[in-house]
Amino acid sequence: MSSFVVNIVTPDGIIFDHHAKFLVANTVAGSLGILPNHAPLISPLQIDAVRIDLDEEDNKNSEWVAVNGGIIEIRDNVVSIIANSAETEENIDVSRAKYAKQRAEEKIELARQKQDETIDMDRAEIALHRAINRLNVANKRR
Ligand code: ATP
């Protein structure tokens, strides 16, 4: 078999469902390149971009998806990614992500200066990471 199925599912529904010939994802154990007939695997994912090389004869042969952590499962030539949120390049609202980045940076700065004891630094850093990931993926738009 020269391709495999990629499904990306979030609480919003199925956000991606295509045949692919290659996929690169960043797991907690490092970068993972997936070709057809990959061995079964389950791993937590980092908040990062997932690159999918589509198995389609069209102009667009690569797609990037901003995946907010979650889990990747490979089984029977199906790659499933289940995450709290994930957006394809064209679905990213850049101004929203810029605003989220700014809010997170402001919180981190306030927490660093110990001006606000109620700020959860880890939470702010994760929010910043999500926003930067979205902006990186949006920048890949051609
Ligand atoms: P925000 O602070 O802007 O809400 P967030 O990182 O807290 O961002 P999430 O909790 O990860 O947002 O996602 C909530 C929902 O909003 C999900 O459906 C996610 O896909 C969507 N979403 C969040 N940010 C964006 C964005 N910049 N563009 C498009 N959809 C987004």
Side-chain angles (χ1 to χ4, degrees):
M1 220 178 291
S2 62
S3 71
F4 54 93
V5 172
V6 180
N7 290 315
I8 303 180
V9 184
T10 75
D12 294 330
I14 298 169
I15 72 123
F16 191 92
D17 182 10
H18 288 285
H19 281 87
K21 50 186 184 337
F22 187 58
L23 180 150
V24 185
N26 201 3
T27 74
V28 292
S31 180
L32 176 69
I34 301 166
L35 287 162
N37 303 310
H38 194 286
L41 175 125
I42 296 186
S43 175
L45 286 172
Q46 306 271 18
I47 298 172
D48 208 341
V50 170
R51 191 187 108 201
I52 302 147
D53 291 354
L54 298 170
D55 181 40
E56 278 162 8
E57 294 296 320
D58 59 17
N59 295 332
K60 198 176 177 192
N61 48 24
S62 235
E63 178 104 36
W64 293 84
V65 183
V67 176
N68 172 21
I71 288 190
I72 188 165
E73 180 190 32
I74 310 170
R75 191 160 48 112
D76 297 336
N77 234 17
V78 177
V79 175
S80 306
I81 292 176
I82 299 137
N84 278 334
S85 64
E87 301 88 31
T88 53
E89 294 158 60
E90 61 275 11
N91 284 323
I92 292 173
D93 178 339
V94 172
S95 10
R96 177 171 168 180
K98 281 186 179 160
Y99 184 51
K101 177 172 177 277
Q102 190 189 328
R103 269 195 332 264
E105 283 169 343
E106 284 166 6
K107 281 189 185 157
I108 290 167
E109 193 48 37
L110 285 177
R112 275 209 188 109
Q113 295 169 359
K114 304 211 181 324
Q115 283 184 20
D116 187 343
E117 304 274 313
T118 66
I119 291 173
D120 181 337
M121 185 70 133
D122 289 347
R123 221 175 128 181
E125 279 174 349
I126 291 168
L128 177 61
H129 203 140
R130 279 201 302 271
I132 291 172
N133 185 31
R134 287 176 176 130
L135 292 172
N136 286 343
V137 168
N139 276 337
K140 295 183 191 296
R141 261 181 224 156
R142 279 147 289 167

